[in-house]
Amino acid sequence: AALGDRLALRPRLVSTAVYHDESQYSFIQIAASTENPRQHTLILDKLEHSIIDFDHPSDFKQEYEWVYEAIFQQLFPGTTPLRTFFIGGGGFVFPRYFDTHRPGGHTEVAEIDSAVSRAAVEAFGLNPQNHLEIHNEDARNRITSLAAARQRDPAAVAPFDLIVGDSFSDYNV
């Protein structure tokens, strides 16, 4: 860690950090906005992953989120409950959106890093009593488990309406 710091290979803690941790997968920090302390940014390694305004959690702050929302509304207009599966959770911005705006649906998230899920609860406003089904495991393993359960009993696992690939870092997708 010290060598990584000296060589500038490790991310630095930002001055407005309200939370930080390091897992086997990434350096995790959550920073408050200097203009709006009720707006937090989840940073994994050196990439801003998610931004949320606690006063307006459905007001998306990143362009890709606007695109996702437009696509979702085009494919599934209205508030029809959906079965969604998210590959990656990060700040859980979109899973929360579905949990709130598609009541009665089922939202499942495979977030490989339990430290990221913990950070989302402790400093990014994710309610631990939400309706999300969160699995802290590699999405490939979760999908394999679901496929095996469905093969044993097709009625055991209903198909998903939407599968969202939302797993990325500043190094790769």
Side-chain angles (χ1 to χ4, degrees):
L3 179 60
D5 287 338
R6 283 195 304 274
L7 295 174
L9 297 174
R10 292 169 46 86
R12 300 221 181 260
L13 189 64
V14 297
S15 62
T16 59
V18 295
Y19 180 95
H20 71 280
D21 193 7
E22 189 162 5
S23 73
Q24 65 181 352
Y25 299 103
S26 60
F27 180 70
I28 304 160
Q29 54 185 321
I30 296 176
S33 165
T34 54
E35 294 84 31
N36 176 5
R38 301 269 306 143
Q39 180 174 300
H40 285 183
T41 301
L42 170 68
I43 305 165
L44 300 179
D45 292 324
K46 296 178 183 179
L47 181 69
E48 290 184 358
H49 249 263
S50 303
I51 302 171
I52 195 161
D53 182 334
F54 295 133
D55 296 327
H56 307 283
S58 294
D59 182 13
F60 301 125
K61 304 295 182 192
Q62 296 176 303
E63 291 177 5
Y64 85 93
E65 295 170 330
W66 305 333
V67 172
Y68 275 15
E69 182 184 29
I71 291 170
F72 298 153
Q73 285 301 332
Q74 181 69 33
L75 293 173
F76 304 100
T79 58
T80 305
L82 297 173
R83 285 185 50 80
T84 57
F85 183 88
F86 284 84
I87 300 170
F92 293 83
V93 173
F94 264 102
R96 282 189 249 195
Y97 173 80
F98 274 90
D99 190 41
T100 303
H101 291 84
R102 301 293 180 134
H106 174 81
T107 302
E108 187 167 331
V109 182
E111 168 55 58
I112 196 169
D113 195 344
S114 62
V116 169
S117 297
R118 186 171 48 256
V121 169
E122 292 184 18
F124 210 70
L126 180 62
N127 182 345
Q129 302 302 318
N130 61 53
H131 298 105
L132 305 177
E133 184 177 330
I134 299 170
H135 297 271
N136 289 123
E137 64 181 300
D138 189 310
R140 293 170 291 194
N141 295 338
R142 180 65 189 150
I143 291 168
T144 298
S145 297
L146 289 168
R150 187 170 170 88
Q151 191 171 34
R152 287 189 304 274
D153 178 8
V157 180
F160 289 100
D161 298 304
L162 185 64
I163 298 173
V164 181
D166 196 17
S167 176
F168 57 91
S169 73
D170 55 339
Y171 303 114
N172 61 46
V173 174

